[in-house]
Amino acid sequence: MNSNTNIPLGEEQQAFRTTAERFARERLAPRYQAREQEAKIDRALVREMGSLGLIGTDLPERHGGLGLPSETTGVIIEALAYGDLNVAYVQLLGSLCGQIIVHHAADDLAAQWLPRVISGEALIALALTEPRGGSDAGNLVLSARPTDRGYVLNGEKSSISIADQADAALVFARTGRVEDGARGVSAFLVPMNEPGITTSRFTDLGSKVVGRGSIFFDDVQVPRSNRLGDEGAGFAQVMRGFDFSRALIGLQCIGAAQASLDESWAYVCERQTFGAPLYRNQGVTFPLAEYASMAAAVRQLCYNTLRLRDSGLRHTAEAAMCKLLGPKIAVDIIHQCLLTHGHYGWSLDLPHQQRLRDVMGLEIGDGTAQIMKLIIAREMLKPHAR
Ligand SMILES: Cc1cc2nc3c(=O)[nH]c(=O)nc-3n(C[C@H](O)[C@H](O)[C@H](O)COP(=O)(O)OP(=O)(O)OC[C@H]3O[C@@H](n4cnc5c(N)ncnc54)[C@H](O)[C@@H]3O)c2cc1C
């Protein structure tokens, strides 16, 4: 990585960064494009990540994690995404779902799943969105009907990352009445091999390795012990989770964009036009300089948000800002880098086009720009509301 990505790190964080950067350089980057053809997550690679301690470092030691600050998770995801944005989803989902489970699942249930997530043995999907809409997520209809032993789930989750690869899903279902809105939503940890579960896969523009699809629930029996926290508490649980994941996604996108930027700085030194290297033209270097500045600003915003989280301070608006700016700026950066490479950039041989497609998905996933603006405005208005 380029030196302009520097942030002050403690010794332990630096060690994680070094390990993640080496893994990204040696194991991820060389097959970033080849992996797209395979269109699935390489489980051996995930186990390797787990054995290096690169998944769920923020999760507690009693469940196999290291209990490290969220900032360290940010350092790792940025470094991994530099090599492969898609493989970095594993760490994103591990920390997002892992933290919700740690805070709200019974200890037995957490002990059953978290060590496997952290070691890279298991993947857990987050299943919130439904066919009728994702922005108004509290308005979901997938039903969890109570029975003597637990619940029976019926309905469809749609647009779910790793839908057809996950070993379990954190499913947000309606236990209350539809009129209760977000207050009638409860969370369940559901193994994906339960009878009555089937999946489909969508044909997507990018992130084909992660893959998105629907999960169908047809009379799926879930024991009461697999419910997370109280009935009706699920929506608040996932929203708190997003305050973490949105800062991580910002860094994931900036990590990928930084790879394109670094490659572009090198390219403008090699490529000659009109008898001189490209870098002699300010028309070439100024856009890169502007985007290097924007990447640095978003990076600082994301790390600051994670530090707020680590200090126990409110960071909902900041997290939404990370998610608003990270994917958008990353898309702009990678687009510019693609153009800087001229006709080579347009070729499928270079990684910029894939990075552009992969990063663009995160302009939608985990909430769109409009929804982030709604959240930021709501937070800004709070002191003024009567
Ligand atoms: C790559 C990717 C990965 C994803 N992974 C997951 C996952 O793992 N789990 C999961 O549960 N979901 C996932 N999603 C779904 C994602 O969270 C939803 O697509 C997203 O929240 C938007 O919902 P929607 O697609 O239904 O759009 P809609 O809610 O139908 O919105 C359509 C458009 O209208 C805009 N809009 C909606 N309401 C308003 C408003 N009030 N004001 C202004 N504009 C508005 C939106 O911004 C959007 O541009 C993923 C999506 C993608 C693309």
Side-chain angles (χ1 to χ4, degrees):
M1 246 189 241
N2 198 299
S3 60
N4 67 9
T5 62
N6 276 346
I7 55 158
L9 295 178
E11 215 172 292
E12 190 172 43
Q13 284 178 326
Q14 186 54 54
F16 274 100
R17 177 164 163 165
T18 304
T19 305
E21 280 181 356
R22 188 181 312 126
F23 185 73
R25 191 174 56 244
E26 293 173 5
R27 304 288 291 130
L28 299 186
R31 298 200 70 252
Y32 170 56
Q33 291 178 263
R35 245 173 252 122
E36 182 172 55
Q37 305 306 318
E38 293 156 14
K40 64 175 191 246
I41 294 172
D42 177 347
R43 290 301 191 101
L45 203 59
V46 175
R47 283 193 289 274
E48 229 181 291
M49 272 167 71
S51 69
L52 290 170
L54 298 176
I55 307 171
T57 45
D58 48 276
L59 299 172
E61 288 179 61
R62 71 178 191 282
H63 291 311
L66 295 164
L68 294 178
S70 332
E71 193 185 1
T72 310
T73 309
V75 167
I76 296 171
I77 201 164
E78 186 190 357
L80 293 178
Y82 188 93
D84 188 329
L85 177 112
N86 297 316
V87 176
Y89 264 77
V90 169
Q91 204 230 12
L92 174 74
L93 285 169
S95 286
L96 168 59
C97 296
Q99 284 292 345
I100 296 174
I101 291 168
V102 162
H103 284 105
H104 306 290
D107 232 38
D108 282 1
L109 186 63
Q112 206 180 315
W113 282 97
L114 293 183
R116 295 176 58 208
V117 168
I118 293 163
S119 65
E121 289 297 327
L123 298 174
I124 301 183
L126 186 128
L128 178 64
T129 304
E130 296 190 358
R132 61 191 244 155
S135 300
D136 187 7
N139 196 15
L140 57 85
V141 294
L142 185 139
S143 74
R145 185 173 46 81
T147 64
D148 292 346
R149 289 176 35 243
Y151 296 84
V152 177
L153 269 53
N154 275 293
E156 178 185 351
K157 289 293 173 186
S158 183
S159 185
I160 309 304
S161 299
I162 62 166
D164 62 352
Q165 303 186 70
D167 302 288
L170 208 46
V171 181
F172 295 85
R174 182 154 299 284
T175 42
R177 298 170 312 163
V178 175
E179 309 85 85
D180 296 336
R183 285 190 302 279
V185 173
S186 306
F188 298 89
L189 186 54
V190 185
M192 289 293 285
N193 57 4
E194 288 296 333
I197 295 184
T198 50
T199 60
S200 69
R201 183 180 279 224
F202 303 162
T203 306
D204 277 349
L205 183 62
S207 283
K208 296 168 194 277
V209 171
V210 179
R212 244 173 7 113
S214 282
I215 309 177
F216 303 93
F217 296 82
D218 184 9
D219 280 339
V220 177
Q221 315 270 344
V222 180
R224 192 169 295 113
S225 54
N226 281 40
R227 192 187 73 214
L228 272 62
D230 293 335
E231 264 197 16
F235 195 71
Q237 294 167 3
V238 72
M239 288 301 132
R240 271 196 297 279
F242 286 157
D243 283 351
F244 184 22
S245 62
R246 286 174 179 155
L248 296 180
I249 289 173
L251 288 166
Q252 189 183 2
C253 293
I254 292 300
Q258 188 65 48
S260 278
L261 265 177
D262 288 352
E263 285 156 21
S264 299
W265 287 118
Y267 184 71
V268 300
C269 293
E270 287 159 18
R271 180 80 170 167
Q272 304 264 332
T273 60
F274 301 97
L278 274 181
Y279 77 82
R280 293 278 179 82
N281 302 292
Q282 291 182 339
V284 171
T285 55
F286 277 17
L288 296 181
E290 280 171 27
Y291 282 125
S293 312
M294 289 184 205
V298 175
R299 180 178 293 111
Q300 295 306 327
L301 173 66
C302 295
Y303 283 115
N304 187 52
T305 304
L306 293 174
R307 278 182 221 120
L308 290 173
R309 181 176 196 276
D310 289 332
S311 311
L313 296 170
R314 194 166 172 79
H315 55 285
T316 299
E318 289 79 1
M321 291 173 190
C322 298
K323 178 63 182 54
L324 171 65
L325 294 177
K328 169 85 184 104
I329 300 288
V331 163
D332 292 349
I333 291 174
I334 298 167
H335 181 216
Q336 181 58 48
C337 292
L338 186 152
L339 298 179
T340 301
H341 280 76
H343 77 89
Y344 294 112
W346 184 238
S347 150
L348 294 184
D349 294 341
L350 292 192
H352 309 290
Q353 46 75 33
Q354 188 187 333
R355 282 196 199 113
L356 190 58
R357 290 184 284 109
D358 289 349
V359 161
M360 205 184 286
L362 285 171
E363 287 195 280
I364 305 167
D366 215 290
T368 63
Q370 286 90 340
I371 298 309
M372 295 309 113
K373 290 178 199 175
L374 283 177
I375 294 170
I376 295 163
R378 194 184 60 211
E379 291 294 308
M380 297 297 144
L381 286 167
K382 268 187 183 161
H384 305 281
R386 288 195 241 175

